[in-house]
Amino acid sequence: MLAFRVRYLTGRVYATDATDRNRVEWPPHPERFFSALVAAAFRADIPRAREALEWLEAQEPPHIAAPPLAGERRVHAYVPVNDVDGMDVLPLHRPKQPRPFPSGTITGDATVHFVWPAAHPPASVRECLAEIAAQVTYLGSSMSLVAVDMVEDAPPPNYVPHPQGDVVLRVPFRGRLAELDHRFRLGERPVPGRRIRYRRLDDNPRLPETARSVFGEFFPFRIRGRWPLAAALTLTATVRAAVLSLADEPVPSILHGHDDRVHCAYVPLPFVGADHADGSVLGFAVVLPRGVSWPERQAVFRALGKLRCLELPGGRVLEAKPVNAFATARTPSTLTPWRWCRPARVWASVTPVVFDRFPRRRHRAAEVLADSCRFVGLPAPRQVTVSQASPLRGVPRSRDFRVRRQPDEPLRYVAHVILEFDQPVDGPVLLGSGRYFGLGFFAPVVTAEEATQA
């Protein structure tokens, strides 16, 4: 038997799923582990490393013992674009674009084992692989710190290769090291290798599937100065107009939605739900729908990259600056995606919901809201609480909000809402006819009781 133990030193994993950049990869794919061994071997210049790695890549795919994740978190940061030429390579000139950085909290002792049960390496190969493993310092992102060693015993695996398995993982294969070498010499990034199916063996109940709406990536901005939450519609309408004015011509419909498709939403980011929350808006976010094409994403990024200030009605100007997701010590939680997007079963409105239609005897409020949830891709809630009073501390009553963009717009039913679902729901959550302007914007809470007491 050949077994490696991987201990995640911070109890968190930072690794992006190759099929969904907003999700964390778990369990870690064997190919990722093999690539980490390759990088460590050549960084430390270990003698006879190639012979040992070529022996390892020729083995059957390993078994894996990995604990479940307790939860996932996703932050966005603006990172420099690598594929630039000429003067643009200088840090001052390199453009930036948003990139998601998902992570997960690992349960238990945060240890994963990769096991080749039928492998019997020669003594020289075993010794070399142990030396290589000791040089591995991270698995996934460089923030995903690990300590790796070779062990004689390992716990029973809970992922094993099986042709009818429901988990698809990438694994190394004979010739993978040569392919990595070739691409490295060409200056190219490695491409995903062989994929095989794994079957999950443990009896632990699976975590409920997390539901997601049509809204996805969340790009927060900080504003200099404060803005009242009751006037959030004025702020978000100004943000939308500013982004449209900065976009390339013709302005892509993903920004304005005039073709009736799902498009970007503009939401306020207020300080609410805490002991001393006063409802002040500290920033705003632009929310992209899921499934956006790469050309559309580029168009959005170009417009957001030019946004520097907001000229509000009355002549007031607010400076706007993208939030650095990694400057956590200086960034209020209000301005982080985690505050608004983490999975939760209970969600409470931060801005009142503008109902899609009036609740009447034939269409009670719960039914109207259930239809609104389904319209944005969410399941119908198990329980709905509707109130004119705010469920979160710092949020004004619904009647105090401006909810009409134009004076001649028809009156609609407006209320604060608490939604309780049977399964976790990923944010951001936006409901109702004002959702694209930040009305019907929800925050996750632990329980419905917490929402009513916040």
Side-chain angles (χ1 to χ4, degrees), residues 66-78:
L69 295 182
E72 295 186 25
R73 178 181 180 182
R74 182 178 67 250
V75 299
H76 286 84
Y78 283 77

Side-chain angles (χ1 to χ4, degrees), residues 356-357 363 365-376 378 380-381:
D356 292 314
R357 61 179 186 273
H363 301 290
E367 297 173 358
V368 175
L369 290 167
D371 289 342
S372 297
C373 287
R374 285 189 283 263
F375 189 72
V376 297
L378 294 175

